[in-house]
């Protein structure tokens, strides 16, 4: 689980560098700073809204990611039930729309800003280029991680990924079957009992890579909110981010559930997801006097991070979540369930896209 700590450290370090690399103020920079406030500037009111945001986003995040983990208390939400598949499809649509409708446009806005020099930032589509490289890199990590553990053998005793014990088919998705067909998973495996360990490993890789992409974006958006003194921007962001974290958490929580982690690893994953955005807001508040979101350095670093996160989230949503489920036996065997799941995806993506009007 060291990867999450490392990713957080790298992201936060890049952001902290911004406060020490800002160029001297110029008339052009002052115009950019003035434009970014939009004529709505109230530091005291903004701080009050930020404190509300920290609490509300934390609660929404914890509820969203924990709901699937406690599904054993609600039989209708067990991974082998149709309702779980539909809810997961809805959450996957939210994640897909997050990448396309929120993170990617933010990157375009940052890297195409008038506060950056025309050459090279307006001469080359850096946002789509970095997003493409990020999606390819995610595929590489996905593929090589699976190949590594398959080549060296999946240790059933250690669980291969996190050291959790796996009892030769007693855990993992092998215990969620319907007539021999594995259902409700976050992977693309369609094999029988011999693939149980591979499916379990696959689910764990997907859960960790997905969380990394979410964590990077969460730090960036939390920092932006925390550093802003514009209550006209912060107010609608609170509701939008609560909605976003709630349903994105449900998608991530479903994958964590299917990865069959022990309580310790589940707690770590829940902690990182739930606290990253509030932590970013706290950092932003601390840097609000020295950090300028319209400085060239900030625009470049945040824009590139957003583009990387967008590529990762889009790949994970389409390949590891939606395609894996819709091409799996559970949905392929039921046209009715497919139709409901497609509708759920559209509702999730549509609702999240509507949030782009305010955030």
């Amino acid at each position: 689980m060291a990867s999450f700590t490392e990713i957080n450290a790298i992201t936060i370090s890049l952001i902290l560098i911004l406060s020490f690399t800002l160029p001297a103020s110029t008339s052009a920079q002052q115009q950019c700073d003035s434009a970014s406030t939009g004529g709505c500037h109230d530091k005291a009111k903004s701080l009050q809204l930020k404190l509300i945001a920290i609490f509300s986003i934390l609660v929404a995040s914890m509820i969203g990611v924990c709901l699937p983990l406690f599904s054993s208390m609600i039989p209708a939400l067990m991974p082998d039930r149709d309702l779980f598949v539909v809810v997961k499809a809805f959450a996957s649509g939210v994640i897909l729309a997050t990448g396309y409708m929120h993170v990617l446009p933010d990157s375009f806005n940052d890297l195409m800003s008038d506060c950056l020099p025309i050459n090279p930032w307006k001469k080359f589509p850096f946002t789509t280029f970095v997003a493409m490289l990020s999606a390819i890199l995610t595929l590489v990590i996905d593929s090589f991680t699976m190949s590594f553990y398959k080549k060296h053998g999946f240790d059933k005793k250690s669980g291969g990924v996190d050291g959790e014990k796996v009892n030769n088919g007693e855990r993992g998705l092998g215990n969620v079957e319907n007539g021999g067909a594995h259902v409700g998973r976050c992977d693309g495996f369609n094999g029988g009992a011999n693939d149980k360990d591979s499916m379990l490993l696959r689910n764990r890789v997907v859960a960790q890579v997905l969380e990394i992409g979410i964590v990077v974006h969460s730090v960036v958006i939390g920092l932006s909110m925390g550093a802003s003194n514009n209550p006209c921007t912060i107010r609608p962001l609170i509701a939008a981010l609560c909605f976003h974290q709630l349903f994105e958490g449900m998608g991530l929580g479903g994958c964590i559930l299917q990865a069959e982690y022990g309580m310790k690893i589940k707690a770590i994953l829940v902690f990182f997801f739930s606290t990253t955005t509030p932590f970013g807001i706290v950092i932003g508040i601390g840097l609000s006097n020295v950090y300028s979101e319209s400085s060239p350095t900030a625009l470049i670093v945040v824009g590139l991070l957003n583009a990387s996160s967008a590529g990762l989230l889009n790949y994970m949503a389409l390949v590891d979540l939606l395609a894996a489920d819709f091409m799996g036996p559970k949905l392929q065997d039921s046209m009715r369930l497919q139709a409901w799941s497609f509708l759920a995806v559209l509702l999730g993506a549509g609702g999240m896209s509507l949030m782009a009007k305010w955030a």
Side-chain angles (χ1 to χ4, degrees), residues 86-98 101-102 243-244 247-248 322 340-355:
V86 174
V87 171
K88 185 185 168 189
F90 178 88
S92 299
V94 170
I95 294 174
L96 182 65
T98 298
M101 297 299 297
H102 291 258
F243 177 89
H244 167 269
F247 291 104
E248 190 174 56
L322 292 174
W340 280 109
S341 297
F342 276 123
L343 179 61
V345 172
L346 291 175
L347 288 175
M352 199 64 206
S353 298
L354 184 61
M355 289 294 103

Side-chain angles (χ1 to χ4, degrees), residues 118-260:
I118 294 176
N119 189 21
W121 300 104
K122 295 185 181 180
K123 299 290 187 180
F124 185 81
F126 282 99
T127 293
T128 48
F129 179 69
V130 173
M132 176 186 68
L133 292 181
S134 176
I136 294 174
L137 180 61
T138 305
L139 172 62
V140 170
I141 294 173
D142 232 355
S143 178
F144 274 99
T145 302
M146 290 299 299
S147 297
F148 176 81
Y149 282 107
K150 284 184 177 180
K151 180 178 180 181
H152 294 278
F154 180 56
D155 190 345
K156 297 176 183 178
K157 183 177 180 180
S158 68
V161 175
D162 68 340
E164 296 294 335
K165 186 176 180 181
V166 179
N167 294 319
N168 194 18
E170 293 180 4
R171 291 189 59 190
L173 298 186
N175 63 352
V176 186
E177 299 181 359
N178 183 11
H182 300 276
V183 297
R185 62 189 183 282
C186 287
D187 66 285
F189 285 93
N190 297 321
N194 293 334
D195 287 328
K196 291 178 182 178
D197 291 334
S198 293
M199 286 188 292
L200 179 59
L201 173 60
R202 176 65 177 157
N203 288 336
R204 294 182 175 188
V205 171
V206 168
Q208 293 192 26
V209 174
L210 178 60
E211 174 132 348
I212 288 173
I214 293 173
V215 161
V216 170
H217 171 58
S218 296
V219 171
V220 170
I221 197 168
L223 172 75
S224 298
M225 175 184 283
S228 174
N229 289 317
N230 186 342
C232 300
T233 299
I234 297 174
R235 190 176 291 107
L237 261 180
I238 297 175
L241 286 178
C242 287
F243 177 89
H244 167 269
Q245 292 294 105
L246 177 66
F247 291 104
E248 190 174 56
M250 290 175 64
L252 177 62
C255 287
I256 295 174
L257 174 66
Q258 292 173 314
E260 292 290 339

Side-chain angles (χ1 to χ4, degrees), residues 3-18 212-221 223 276 279-280 283 301-302 305-306 309:
S3 58
F4 295 115
T5 305
E6 293 168 359
I7 291 294
N8 269 332
I10 292 172
T11 303
I12 294 171
S13 297
L14 286 173
I15 291 171
L16 289 177
I17 288 173
L18 303 181
I212 288 173
I214 293 173
V215 161
V216 170
H217 171 58
S218 296
V219 171
V220 170
I221 197 168
L223 172 75
T276 303
F279 183 59
I283 293 177
V301 173
V302 171
L305 285 175
N306 275 334
S309 180

Side-chain angles (χ1 to χ4, degrees), residues 67-85:
L67 275 178
L69 302 182
F70 292 102
S71 63
S72 58
M73 302 178 183
I74 307 175
L77 290 177
M78 292 292 289
D80 59 334
R81 300 300 178 91
D82 290 352
L83 181 59
F84 179 88
V85 177

